[in-house]
Structures are given as C-alpha cells and as structure tokens.
Amino acid sequence: MEPVNTSFTRLLGIAVPVVSPPMALATTTHHAAEATRGGGFGFLGAAFTPPEKLREELSSLRKTYPDLGDKPLPIGVGLIAWMLDADEEAAKAKIDAILDNNVKAFWLAFGTDIHRWIQYARTSPAAARSQHKPLIFVQATSVGEALLAANEWKADVIVAQGTEAGGHGGAHAPSTFTFVCELLAALPANNAPPVLAAGGLANGTQAAAYLTLGAAGVVLGTRFTLMDLHSP
C-alpha cells in the first residue's frame, strides 16, 4: 500500500488519511486499534463508558503493544461535550484516564462549552504529569463553529461533519461537500489545522474526491461498523 502524504498523515504519522471515528456503543478498543494497524487511525467511543472502565480498557490495550514503551497509545478516544457538562466529576475522571494512558488523540463533539474541556485536557494535573499531550480533534457542524475551534481553541484537527452523517448531527449542518468547500475557503492558507471530511462517505472513490477537493483526510463511520458485523 502506497502511503498518502497529507498534513493529516504527517501529523499522525500514519500511511492513509482515513479515520474510524468514535461511535458510542459501536466502536471498541479492538476496533480502534485495528483501524490504526491498517494504516489509518481509529477512535474509541467512550461517551457512555464509566471512568474506571475506560481506564481499564486503555490499560489492557496498551499491554497488546509490548514494544510501545512510553510512546503514545496509537488510538484516540472520543467524548460528547454535553454529557461531560452533565457530570463534571465523572467528566474530569474520564479525561484523566485518557491522559494517564498516554492516548494519542482526543475527540470532542456536540456541546455549548467544548473549549472548557479542551482547556481541562491541556492544563489539568493529569496533563501536567502526562508525557504526551493528546492531539485535539473538534467535530464541527458549521463553518462558524469550525473557525472558532481552529482560530480560538487551537484545535489540532477539525472534523467537518455534514448533514449526511449518521448518528448525531447538527440540525442546520450543510452538506459535507458544501461544508468542506466553504471551510477550506475560510481558513488561512498557512498554519490551518487539517480538515477531515465526515458524513456520507463509504468508499475509496468518495475519499479520493474529498482529498482532491483539499481535505486532509476523511472519516468513515458506518462503513467500519458494517465491516465489523461481517468479520469472523
């Protein structure tokens, strides 16, 4: 497999700019790890996972990488911001578990105060003792939200989720194509975070089209869960 060189693959140190996203009750640590082992990058959906269970799952996964040492665990963990808002103590415990397990990336979506949790992930006591600061992915459903995440919150990666996306979504989100086009035009030409196209993508042809458009990577959610259902 020939590596695909984009700002996203360089940032993550991966071969293929394809992401298996966090989907609550659908993606497991095994699912995320296999996506990364395949050359892309996988996320665990942990919105409904209790903090101690999350800590246990991440610790167990690290043991499957005997040569990893102190390097970051090569998966990400995704959380839903409005659920974090509902229980601050549990939210901080979850983020601490992510940081203590030296996970490579942290994905936040859906909330009115996402920046609060980005700040906690960057400045908490767990962050201070962590050897690696996770890359922050912010899922946005409008150009305004995406620009806020990029310019004010300094997110490392922007996930532009269009209205075709399965599961949760923005009530007034544009189509993925329109969203990606408008966002790429609005971001500065230099030093902008990688933009991932998300929503309605299911095959390599569609992925290639968005890479040609200027996206740095793509997110395939339902496609990966269907592959899990048909695997032995």
Side-chain angles (χ1 to χ4, degrees):
M1 177 175 58
E2 287 292 326
V4 179
N5 184 22
T6 73
S7 59
F8 179 66
T9 58
R10 294 192 296 271
L11 179 66
L12 272 291
I14 59 177
V16 182
V18 175
V19 173
S20 173
M23 293 176 283
L25 308 178
T27 50
T28 63
T29 52
H30 171 76
H31 180 117
E34 288 305 307
T36 301
R37 288 187 174 113
F41 193 77
F43 278 85
L44 166 68
F48 297 99
T49 307
E52 285 309 310
K53 178 66 173 175
L54 176 59
R55 187 178 292 274
E56 176 186 325
E57 289 182 356
L58 293 175
S59 179
S60 295
L61 179 62
R62 179 170 282 277
K63 293 175 183 176
T64 69
Y65 292 91
D67 300 324
L68 196 60
D70 295 331
K71 295 178 183 178
L73 189 62
I75 68 162
V77 178
L79 299 175
I80 296 174
W82 65 260
M83 293 183 68
L84 299 179
D85 293 337
D87 189 338
E88 181 175 344
E89 182 177 353
K92 290 181 176 179
K94 279 190 180 185
I95 297 173
D96 288 348
I98 293 169
L99 296 170
D100 286 341
N101 279 281
N102 202 16
V103 170
K104 194 163 189 175
F106 177 35
W107 176 313
L108 279 164
F110 305 118
T112 58
D113 197 7
I114 290 176
H115 186 230
R116 171 192 182 190
W117 300 112
I118 294 175
Q119 286 294 95
Y120 182 80
R122 287 173 170 165
T123 63
S124 69
R129 62 178 178 262
S130 176
Q131 298 178 5
H132 164 80
K133 300 297 186 290
L135 297 169
I136 303 295
F137 287 54
V138 172
Q139 181 177 317
T141 57
S142 71
V143 171
E145 184 183 13
L147 291 176
L148 186 64
N151 298 330
E152 301 296 327
W153 306 343
K154 305 302 179 184
D156 297 296
V157 178
I158 304 297
V159 181
Q161 187 196 51
T163 190
E164 300 96 326
H168 299 288
H172 303 289
S175 72
T176 305
F177 181 84
T178 298
F179 189 2
V180 171
C181 288
E182 292 181 351
L183 178 56
L184 291 173
L187 285 168
N190 298 314
N191 299 319
V195 172
L196 306 184
L201 284 80
N203 58 51
T205 300
Q206 292 168 326
Y210 277 98
L211 294 177
T212 302
L213 188 66
V218 296
V219 178
L220 279 71
T222 304
R223 177 66 174 174
F224 280 115
T225 60
L226 291 174
M227 289 171 68
D228 267 4
L229 288 173
H230 291 92
S231 62

